[in-house]
Amino acid sequence: MKNWKIPLMSVAAASSLLFINTPTSKVAAAVNQEVAQGTGAAVLDGTNYFGDMDPNTTLSIDFVMKIQNKDELEKFIKETTTPYSPHYRNYLNVNEFKAKYAPNPAYIHSVTSYLQGFGLKTDVHANNLTITATGTVAQLNKALNVELKYASFKGKRIHATKKHPTLPKVISDNILCVLGLNNYSNLESRAVKQPTVIDKKDVPAGPLSLTPQDLQNHYNVDPLYKKGATGAGQTLGIVTLAEFNTDDAYKFWDNMGIQTKPNRIKVTDVDGGSGWDGYEETTLDVQQSGAIAPQANINVYVGPNSDTGFVDAFSNAINDNVAKQISVSWGSSELSIDSYVQQQMEAPEYEETFNQLFMQAAAQGISMFASAGDAGAYDETRGDNKVFKLTADFPAASPYITAAGGTTLPFQFHSNSTGLDVKVNEERAWGWDYLHDYFKARNIDDVNLVNGGGGGFSTYFDTPDYQKGVSGVNKYTAVDEFKISSDLSSVTYKNPTTITGKDSGRNIPDVSMAADPYTGYYVYLSDPGQPGTNSGYAVYGGTSLVSPQLNGLTALINSAEHTQVGFWNPQIYRFAQENSSPFTPLNKAGDKNDNLFYSGTPGTLYNQATGLGIPDVAKLADKFGSPNK
């Protein structure tokens, strides 16, 4: 990566992943070996170190273990989604997964014994894939041969170590990476509040403030309710990095006339929980998913906004194995991750750390959903240091999670202030290029057009088997409509032209629903930590909405079909190729159906703006219930 500006603060776990090499022989067992911290000179030299940390300060770090028999696990997951396979929907529990695919308990014991020898307390996660070590700075310094210091980086106070840690080779076998010696990570919410750039005189017509009932009508959910489905017996899992007011959710459901199960929300504060920055995200996740499946329980896993917090929140949710559908609406661009890896500021194993957990979830029959991003094809354009380069969002890029993309619903308005008419005639890929003329007339900078459903190609993960051979995968039609500055920091809109091309890697997203904040959903909010104070409704969009909505829909489908559908992706790509597909591809080409770059291709089943398209939920439930229909 050359000269573009990467906002270091927007990437999780950037400096806290440590490479650990595998020993080559037992002779080397007692030899200490330097472990690359994953932090290059560019970061270390740019950090101001204030002095040694208080040796009595308590910290926790994670040792992430390598999954075992990965090829066998991939085969097993595929069989759980293949009708007539002996393993079809015959899932593993956590102990079965651990026995087959985690490191041997004797090896885990060797790692914990080493750490305990320095007075560190160890907590082995139920899957044997993570060991959390907790102790004082003095104990960690001695165990890892580091010098933890107070520091600051780009205005944020952190702790860090400039000295590379060393460990005995004998315990480094099967360790993927270590997380937590540095703590400057900062994942971002994928929620987008409806902006106020439309002049107050320009009153739009159309669904600008949607309710859960609008979703049910538009995507044909009602037949499931008529069958008596309510989500009863199901549990929704929400992985998040901010606290929320539980009372706001109950108030929202009550105001919407949705009869829900009482006391249905359980909050687990992982690693001590988090603060309130991004509480709108957690709030809308709970409200939207819970409205769709009103009788389901909701387990919310709140982790700190850090590498260990994010991993541990997923680990807790998946190891609990209670929620059979889990969503997340936080993420980071792969461009940031790729850049850090190439500059040795982050370990290459970062994405694999999460992917292992998502594979475990798939083996246990848990349906996982992640938001695909809200900057269209340019995911690294949030925050102050924008980078206008094509990239996808993570964790949506994992092949073992269902990536939720976004659309704009039909709406229109006549602008009295400019004399212009803005019209979206049919549901399309979410991309704000349709507002260009209006923004220009109002002197709103072109950079504000860069809002849309995330999509593109992963640079880390290969094209998964379930996408291969599907028309539109690894080929694309796109709209070239932005002139990007030489330093990739700004854009100007230009006359759009349609182009075609090829690419490779995991194609994102998988499926899409309404996410444009101009056709967004009501969210009920009160002040952070003060339920009922300054309370009221705001309208939000973003693929943050789609991920929890798919979560709720899965619980509804499971209860309607009396099944556990498990990992969606191999199944929905198969359904899309069958007669009576439950998806409507949004495959028109051009700037009336794009996510600011990727568009549709007529006659194909898939595109990188909206994936397989929009679902008919009743038909999808029927397919999941009887997959050979």
Side-chain angles (χ1 to χ4, degrees):
M1 299 297 177
K2 296 183 180 178
N3 58 1
W4 52 78
K5 301 173 183 177
I6 302 294
L8 225 61
M9 305 300 289
S10 71
V11 180
S15 72
S16 25
L17 290 164
L18 315 180
F19 299 116
I20 299 187
N21 297 318
T22 302
T24 57
S25 69
K26 292 183 179 179
V27 177
V31 177
N32 272 14
Q33 179 171 312
E34 184 173 286
V35 180
Q37 190 182 170
T39 304
V43 173
L44 296 175
D45 293 345
T47 299
N48 296 315
Y49 294 90
F50 299 131
D52 295 340
M53 290 188 70
D54 182 342
N56 296 313
T57 299
T58 300
L59 295 178
S60 293
I61 64 172
D62 281 351
F63 289 76
V64 179
M65 320 308 291
K66 293 178 183 176
I67 212 163
Q68 306 295 300
N69 307 315
K70 187 175 180 180
D71 290 346
E72 181 185 320
L73 177 58
E74 290 174 344
K75 180 182 177 183
F76 174 79
I77 292 169
K78 185 176 182 179
E79 290 177 348
T80 66
T81 64
T82 304
Y84 305 116
S85 162
H87 293 128
Y88 180 59
R89 296 190 182 171
N90 184 16
Y91 306 114
L92 302 179
N93 61 37
V94 177
N95 286 333
E96 290 169 335
F97 173 85
K98 177 170 63 176
K100 290 176 177 290
Y101 303 114
N104 188 290
Y107 178 77
I108 300 295
H109 178 72
S110 71
V111 178
T112 58
S113 294
Y114 172 81
L115 298 172
Q116 290 167 3
F118 292 90
L120 295 165
K121 295 180 180 179
T122 58
D123 175 27
V124 180
H125 294 212
N127 57 3
N128 270 11
L129 288 183
T130 305
I131 301 171
T132 300
T134 303
T136 66
V137 166
Q139 291 167 331
L140 288 168
N141 281 344
K142 191 171 182 180
L144 299 174
N145 299 295
V146 296
E147 296 174 0
L148 285 160
K149 296 179 179 292
Y150 293 116
S152 70
F153 188 82
K154 291 194 172 183
K156 182 178 180 181
R157 292 185 64 88
I158 63 171
H159 64 255
T161 172
K162 193 170 184 178
K163 182 180 178 183
H164 290 303
T166 60
L167 290 167
K169 286 185 178 182
V170 69
I171 73 159
S172 64
D173 201 19
N174 293 323
I175 295 180
L176 182 69
C177 57
V178 179
L179 302 86
L181 286 178
N182 299 273
N183 69 333
Y184 65 74
S185 58
N186 186 24
L187 284 138
E188 295 176 337
S189 155
R190 293 301 179 236
V192 182
K193 187 175 182 180
Q194 189 179 88
T196 56
V197 292
I198 293 180
D199 191 281
K200 292 181 179 179
K201 300 175 183 177
D202 304 335
V203 180
L208 294 187
S209 47
L210 303 173
T211 67
Q213 289 85 348
D214 291 314
L215 178 146
Q216 295 160 18
N217 292 332
H218 185 70
Y219 295 113
N220 196 28
V221 185
D222 286 334
L224 299 187
Y225 296 116
K226 291 178 180 177
K227 288 175 61 174
T230 61
Q234 299 292 314
T235 299
L236 308 170
I238 305 289
V239 170
T240 187
L241 302 176
E243 305 289 351
F244 74 112
N245 296 322
T246 57
D247 287 358
D248 288 351
Y250 290 111
K251 187 70 173 179
F252 173 80
W253 298 322
D254 185 55
N255 288 350
M256 291 292 167
I258 300 171
Q259 294 184 352
T260 63
K261 182 178 181 179
N263 304 314
R264 62 195 302 222
I265 301 172
K266 176 184 176 182
V267 179
T268 299
D269 282 330
V270 179
D271 298 344
S274 189
W276 291 85
D277 187 15
Y279 85 108
E280 304 93 339
E281 178 63 75
T282 312
T283 302
L284 71 86
D285 286 357
V286 172
Q287 290 180 7
Q288 290 294 316
S289 61
I292 293 170
Q295 294 302 310
N297 291 321
I298 305 174
N299 288 3
V300 185
Y301 297 85
V302 183
N305 194 332
S306 66
D307 49 3
T308 53
F310 205 35
V311 167
D312 290 352
F314 275 117
S315 182
N316 272 259
I318 293 166
N319 285 322
D320 279 355
N321 203 26
V322 174
K324 300 306 180 183
Q325 42 276 313
I326 298 173
S327 62
V328 61
S329 297
W330 298 74
S332 178
S333 81
E334 280 201 326
L335 180 60
S336 293
I337 298 169
D338 291 347
S339 300
Y340 283 138
V341 168
Q342 291 192 25
Q343 297 175 55
Q344 295 186 331
M345 292 187 286
E346 183 175 326
E349 293 86 352
Y350 174 71
E351 292 188 53
E352 186 59 27
T353 298
F354 294 89
N355 193 55
Q356 290 188 159
L357 289 170
F358 303 154
M359 291 182 76
Q360 178 189 349
Q364 293 172 193
I366 299 172
S367 306
M368 300 286 297
F369 305 95
S371 303
D374 303 314
Y378 303 98
D379 199 58
E380 189 52 50
T381 55
R382 289 291 177 259
D384 296 329
N385 298 312
K386 302 180 187 300
V387 183
F388 289 92
K389 186 176 176 68
L390 299 176
T391 186
D393 199 75
F394 183 81
S398 166
Y400 288 96
I401 205 164
T402 300
T407 67
T408 301
L409 297 179
F411 84 105
Q412 62 183 339
F413 66 91
H414 174 74
S415 169
N416 293 316
S417 61
T418 66
L420 294 174
D421 289 299
V422 175
K423 182 179 292 187
V424 176
N425 291 319
E426 58 187 344
E427 190 164 2
R428 56 156 288 173
W430 170 31
W432 272 6
D433 47 358
Y434 71 82
L435 290 169
H436 169 258
D437 291 345
Y438 179 70
F439 277 24
K440 183 179 180 180
R442 302 254 339 268
N443 295 314
I444 297 172
D445 193 273
D446 285 347
V447 72
N448 293 287
L449 295 173
V450 185
N451 288 270
F457 298 88
S458 172
T459 55
Y460 186 86
F461 297 103
D462 294 335
T463 307
D465 286 345
Y466 55 77
Q467 289 189 321
K468 293 177 180 177
V470 177
S471 60
V473 168
N474 289 342
K475 296 180 181 180
Y476 63 83
T477 300
V479 180
D480 183 12
E481 58 186 356
F482 287 112
K483 181 179 179 181
I484 301 174
S485 63
S486 59
D487 64 355
L488 308 181
S489 66
S490 63
V491 294
T492 52
Y493 188 80
K494 64 180 183 179
N495 186 45
T497 57
T498 301
I499 60 176
T500 60
K502 297 180 180 180
D503 212 325
S504 60
R506 155 81 157 120
N507 289 226
I508 305 155
D510 296 305
V511 63
S512 297
M513 295 195 301
D516 188 335
Y518 280 124
T519 56
Y521 289 84
Y522 281 123
V523 177
Y524 185 85
L525 294 160
S526 53
D527 286 349
Q530 303 180 59
T533 303
N534 294 320
S535 58
Y537 286 97
V539 177
Y540 277 82
T543 55
S544 276
L545 284 152
V546 184
S547 179
Q549 287 169 347
L550 292 174
N551 188 350
L553 289 171
T554 304
L556 201 66
I557 291 169
N558 281 337
S559 69
E561 302 298 334
H562 306 288
T563 189
Q564 184 179 338
V565 300
F567 179 34
W568 268 41
N569 292 7
Q571 301 177 83
I572 62 174
Y573 280 87
R574 184 172 66 247
F575 299 159
Q577 298 175 80
E578 297 172 348
N579 293 330
S580 188
S581 169
F583 300 101
T584 300
L586 302 184
N587 55 13
K588 289 187 177 180
D591 63 347
K592 298 294 189 291
N593 179 44
D594 66 282
N595 73 339
L596 308 177
F597 184 75
Y598 298 106
S599 181
T601 302
T604 60
L605 297 176
Y606 180 90
N607 66 69
Q608 296 77 21
T610 55
L612 295 172
I614 56 176
D616 179 314
V617 175
K619 289 175 67 175
L620 180 59
D622 196 38
K623 285 283 190 179
F624 274 130
S626 301
N628 294 306
K629 286 187 177 180

